[in-house]
Amino acid sequence: MKIKYRIINMVQKITLRELSSIPPLFTFQERYLLSQELLRKDLYPPIPLWFRGSKEGEWIIWGKGLVDQLKDLNKQEVLVRRFGPDELTSTDALILWMGLEHREEEWDSYRVQELSALPTPLQTLVAELKLDLKTAMRVKSLPLRILEAFIPLLETFSYSQRRIFLRLFFEVFHRDQLDTMKGLELVTYLVSSPNPLEELHRIRYPEFHRLEQSYRATVDPILKGSGIQVSPPSYFEGTRFKVEFCFEKGTQLKKKAQILQKLSETIDSVINRLTHDAI
Amino acid sequence: MMQYKVPKNIYLTPEANTLPAVKHALRFLGHPIYQTVESPTDIPPEHQNQDTLFITSYRGQTVHKCPGSRGHICCNYLTIDLYLGCTLGCTYCIMKSYLNFSPLTVYADPSPSIQWIRGLSNQYPYRAIRIGTGETGDSLLLDPIFHLSRQLIEGVCDLPNVYLELKTKTAHVEHLLDIPIKGNTIIAFSLNAREIQEQEEGTSASIEERIAAALRSAEAGYNLAFHFDPILRFPGWEEQYSHTINLLKKVPSERIRWISLGTVRFTGALRDRMEDRPFLFEEFVPCRDGKFRYLQPIRIQMYRWFLNQLSALTDAPVYLCMESVDVWKAVYGKLPMKMDSFRDIFTHVPCNLRF
């Protein structure tokens, strides 16, 4: 493709047909989605095109989402900004792709390089601000097929749930020395479970959950419907239990005291499990 | 045996290069090129790392109380900063969370510390003052270069209530063996399972080398201490730690002054800096001091196991490092200050002098 250098690094309009012949530099290309009003008035950032050299040709750095929107509006032309071979580095292109220059957080070249080295599903999550770079870096060694299999599930989580889920999965994957097939089986199992995050937590922390289960099995049947809450020490660290209840009359208090009396006869088994009968 | 690595960059403060320890070190290192700076902040940012050695003399109070850990029982140890930082490269090292971007620092003049200890000894003549140099770095890693421990030992060896502990993961004891009067100096070795030493403790000496060094130290007249810290849980941990404990049988038990136990613990910040080592895939929960530890029942089980094994070996007190009241009660039935064998160790000694 021939590039007229007089138009390099300038904003210009080209036809959508011309743009559709230019390949995207990054797989993920749907970051910018703007309101129809802004698009109609051409109030959108020009799509950056990078001419990397006569051999490599010209590439769209980002803008696929915008182009699709413009097509829907029956627009014939699109605003682009062309860059020559020496005007950008791959890192610059990545920064442009992510629109990083508009972000509040500091992105130095080291972090951008870390990002560019991530597998595509993680890169996409970070680019879409759905995952922090630190977590993505930690779990990047997970097989690509597993990461891809996760995407629909991860979309249903909040930002922090996504972080927790990925870290937990990563730890289980390595602890249990799973291969890709076993990992995919685990993904399938988690996807089909009613609460994937809770289930994964149970798999990651089996002893903690055994303690909790044993506690619940002892305490819940006695306290059920009583309005009394007995909380074990946080993470079963320590031996200090907390009892909470409300009452309005002496008879109510008496009833609660009777339930607590009953609990006091069995609670030692839980306390012993915490401090004496080690796991 | 470990090889000494000449640091890539050496910086000295102006007054430091007249100190005997520095003269000795420069001679030992083959008179390397060094630069003089007024303070560590003058070291260029690209050299602010553990490949750089920064040698200085004195920086205010040099004796501190061990900071302990909120909500956990501390043995009220006093610390002297001689060596700040360590290049052994243990994967679990707490110093990684705050020292990675600082030069390896040597406070090459122990005389203010010696004066301070002498003052404390005089102020609290009936209390055992336990003091060590292994809090912010390995006591003996760089010591054959600087010989600072020799100065310390010679400076406090006449004080009957001062127990100077030099704690190490090396076998660097040769330079200390010929000191004629050793006083209550204790050479302490951090111990672990052989597998853990090989996989997690960087360029440290092997467990066998440490035990051999302990034997040489005992033969030369030193008292000894051992620290199983951090204790890690992994498949076959009992067998692996039994092997190390069996090696301890070679050591004259009457020479052992104390043994401490501490299961692995780390802050969230440290976890972020640590590689994903297999031991980190165990179950950890946040404790009252914000550090992550094994579940309480697991820690109790491990401490009981160690206590049982070690009590067959020695009468020396075996205490827990940075553990909670509940764990102490579950393991020992009571708190350390209620036990005669621990009272000396756990009695608080203020590190401030009254003038």
Side-chain angles (χ1 to χ4, degrees):
Chain A
M1 178 182 286
K2 279 188 178 177
I3 291 292
K4 293 173 184 168
Y5 280 90
R6 61 187 170 80
I7 56 164
I8 286 295
N9 207 358
M10 277 180 63
V11 177
Q12 61 170 155
K13 273 191 172 178
I14 64 169
T15 63
L16 276 166
R17 180 180 288 187
E18 189 187 338
L19 190 74
S20 62
S21 66
I22 303 172
L25 187 62
F26 302 104
T27 324
F28 175 74
Q29 289 278 338
E30 291 178 10
R31 178 163 162 70
Y32 284 104
L33 293 173
L34 297 177
S35 74
Q36 291 194 352
E37 194 189 342
L38 289 173
L39 292 172
R40 276 201 195 94
K41 292 176 180 169
D42 283 343
L43 292 173
Y44 55 87
I47 292 172
L49 306 180
W50 184 24
F51 180 69
R52 298 171 73 187
S54 49
K55 238 183 189 177
E56 295 89 347
E58 194 172 34
W59 300 79
I60 301 173
I61 294 175
W62 59 257
K64 187 176 173 296
L66 262 186
V67 170
D68 290 344
Q69 277 189 294
L70 291 167
K71 276 180 188 164
D72 291 345
L73 289 173
N74 291 321
K75 284 260 187 184
Q76 301 299 311
E77 291 183 318
V78 57
L79 280 171
V80 298
R81 184 182 200 109
R82 282 192 146 118
F83 294 92
D86 303 326
E87 287 178 296
L88 291 182
T89 63
S90 299
T91 304
D92 298 333
L94 196 70
I95 291 173
L96 275 173
W97 168 60
M98 293 184 61
L100 297 178
E101 68 272 33
H102 303 304
R103 291 192 180 191
E104 283 177 11
E105 56 186 325
E106 286 284 321
W107 280 80
D108 55 23
S109 61
Y110 178 72
R111 292 188 74 199
V112 171
Q113 275 165 23
E114 281 187 331
L115 177 73
S116 62
L118 288 175
T120 308
L122 293 175
Q123 211 174 65
T124 306
L125 286 170
V126 177
E128 288 187 303
L129 305 178
K130 289 177 179 169
L131 186 69
D132 61 304
L133 180 61
K134 199 161 78 177
T135 303
M137 288 299 293
R138 171 138 280 168
V139 305
K140 70 176 179 182
S141 63
L142 283 172
L144 184 62
R145 284 175 65 195
I146 290 177
L147 291 171
E148 285 168 347
F150 270 147
I151 295 297
L153 180 62
L154 292 177
E155 289 292 340
T156 66
F157 289 151
S158 70
Y159 184 84
S160 63
Q161 283 175 329
R162 219 170 278 129
R163 295 181 66 204
I164 295 166
F165 186 89
L166 279 169
R167 281 174 181 246
L168 288 178
F169 188 91
F170 176 81
E171 289 171 359
V172 170
F173 185 83
H174 285 283
R175 182 195 66 189
D176 299 347
Q177 299 178 347
L178 303 181
D179 56 19
T180 305
M181 284 316 293
K182 292 274 179 206
L184 284 169
E185 280 171 24
L186 180 57
V187 175
T188 311
Y189 170 72
L190 290 170
V191 168
S192 65
S193 73
N195 190 336
L197 188 55
E198 201 176 287
E199 186 58 17
L200 183 57
H201 196 272
R202 194 189 59 74
I203 295 169
R204 173 65 184 89
Y205 294 100
E207 280 159 352
F208 174 75
H209 279 269
R210 267 199 291 277
L211 275 177
E212 197 163 65
Q213 225 168 14
S214 139
Y215 172 74
R216 290 275 153 234
T218 311
V219 172
D220 286 0
I222 298 169
L223 299 183
K224 201 176 175 186
S226 68
I228 301 172
Q229 207 181 336
V230 178
S231 314
S234 178
Y235 298 100
F236 297 103
E237 179 69 24
T239 48
R240 201 169 288 188
F241 287 72
K242 200 165 83 182
V243 179
E244 284 172 279
F245 60 86
C246 299
F247 66 94
E248 288 171 350
K249 293 176 188 167
T251 49
Q252 284 178 350
L253 178 60
K254 193 176 175 185
K255 203 173 171 188
K256 291 192 194 292
Q258 281 166 349
I259 292 166
L260 286 172
Q261 170 67 32
K262 200 174 166 194
L263 181 67
S264 71
E265 287 157 16
T266 53
I267 194 81
D268 276 351
S269 67
V270 178
I271 297 170
N272 284 344
R273 199 162 163 73
L274 288 185
T275 54
H276 298 294
D277 310 330
I279 289 171
Chain B
M1 287 293 278
M2 278 175 286
Q3 298 288 315
Y4 296 109
K5 197 173 77 176
V6 179
K8 282 185 187 164
N9 318 290
I10 300 176
Y11 290 89
L12 264 69
T13 49
E15 80 292 349
N17 71 25
T18 58
L19 295 168
V22 178
K23 285 180 181 166
H24 184 275
L26 293 176
R27 199 166 52 242
F28 186 97
L29 295 171
H31 300 284
I33 296 166
Y34 65 84
Q35 293 179 59
T36 306
V37 288
E38 287 296 329
S39 81
T41 53
D42 296 336
I43 297 172
E46 64 272 23
H47 291 171
Q48 296 278 0
N49 55 48
Q50 300 272 292
D51 286 332
T52 298
L53 186 62
F54 172 62
I55 309 169
T56 186
S57 56
Y58 180 68
R59 41 137 222 172
Q61 186 170 335
T62 53
V63 179
H64 309 274
K65 186 183 174 306
C66 171
S69 224
R70 186 165 44 90
H72 292 75
I73 295 176
C74 177
C75 68
N76 292 311
Y77 198 64
L78 299 182
T79 65
I80 304 170
D81 295 343
L82 284 189
Y83 302 108
L84 180 66
C86 175
T87 54
L88 288 176
C90 301
T91 58
Y92 50 72
C93 181
I94 189 84
M95 286 188 287
K96 273 189 183 177
S97 58
Y98 59 95
L99 285 182
N100 258 14
F101 301 107
S102 315
L104 200 59
T105 301
V106 179
Y107 298 106
D109 181 13
S111 51
S113 303
I114 293 168
Q115 291 314 310
W116 202 278
I117 299 167
R118 298 194 73 82
L120 283 177
S121 170
N122 189 38
Q123 201 164 297
Y124 305 102
Y126 303 110
R127 287 196 200 170
I129 298 170
R130 295 168 66 240
I131 193 154
T133 58
E135 177 81 6
T136 54
D138 190 286
S139 296
L140 299 180
L141 176 64
L142 297 174
D143 208 54
I145 303 176
F146 288 92
H147 282 219
L148 294 172
S149 298
R150 173 181 284 269
Q151 291 184 49
L152 263 184
I153 294 168
E154 289 173 345
V156 303
C157 64
D158 59 319
L159 305 172
N161 61 334
V162 169
Y163 297 85
L164 174 67
E165 184 180 28
L166 309 173
K167 202 187 290 183
T168 188
K169 284 193 182 92
T170 73
H172 295 176
V173 296
E174 254 48 54
H175 64 293
L176 301 174
L177 301 182
D178 65 345
I179 297 175
I181 303 170
K182 296 165 178 82
N184 291 325
T185 305
I186 291 155
I187 313 274
F189 295 86
S190 175
L191 292 180
N192 220 311
R194 184 197 273 170
E195 186 180 314
I196 299 303
Q197 184 276 320
E198 288 170 356
Q199 292 173 8
E200 312 294 345
E201 295 192 342
T203 56
S204 67
S206 71
I207 299 303
E208 285 79 2
E209 285 171 336
R210 293 181 213 177
I211 298 288
L215 274 170
R216 293 198 297 281
S217 308
E219 279 165 17
Y222 284 104
N223 287 318
L224 303 170
F226 296 98
H227 301 279
F228 286 89
D229 198 344
I231 296 169
L232 300 178
R233 187 173 186 247
F234 57 96
W237 66 269
E238 290 106 323
E239 196 186 327
Q240 288 266 340
Y241 279 110
S242 285
H243 176 78
T244 302
I245 291 169
N246 278 334
L247 290 176
L248 271 183
K249 286 179 183 163
K250 296 179 187 169
V251 175
S253 67
E254 70 280 5
R255 286 281 178 193
I256 303 176
R257 294 309 304 253
W258 53 71
I259 296 176
S260 79
L261 306 175
T263 55
V264 65
R265 53 210 177 271
F266 48 84
T267 59
L270 175 61
R271 176 66 187 89
D272 284 340
R273 281 183 180 272
M274 284 160 119
E275 293 169 51
D276 286 302
R277 306 298 304 160
F279 72 86
L280 289 168
F281 300 136
E282 280 289 329
E283 295 184 45
F284 292 96
V285 292
C287 297
R288 258 167 280 179
D289 55 358
K291 288 181 186 162
F292 289 82
R293 289 178 174 81
Y294 294 131
L295 280 164
Q296 179 175 282
I298 291 173
R299 304 204 309 274
I300 292 168
Q301 179 195 41
M302 296 181 86
Y303 289 135
R304 282 180 183 158
W305 183 88
F306 268 91
L307 206 56
N308 189 34
Q309 300 283 314
L310 290 167
S311 59
L313 196 80
T314 176
D315 294 330
V318 180
Y319 67 91
L320 307 181
C321 184
M322 300 300 167
E323 263 307 346
S324 65
V325 167
D326 298 294
V327 170
W328 266 95
K329 282 183 182 168
V331 175
Y332 294 94
K334 46 185 135 175
L335 295 179
M337 285 303 281
K338 303 272 181 195
M339 288 184 274
D340 291 341
S341 54
F342 291 146
R343 203 163 290 125
D344 270 355
I345 293 177
F346 280 81
T347 300
H348 172 64
V349 178
C351 70
N352 293 323
L353 287 172
R354 285 196 303 266
F355 294 102

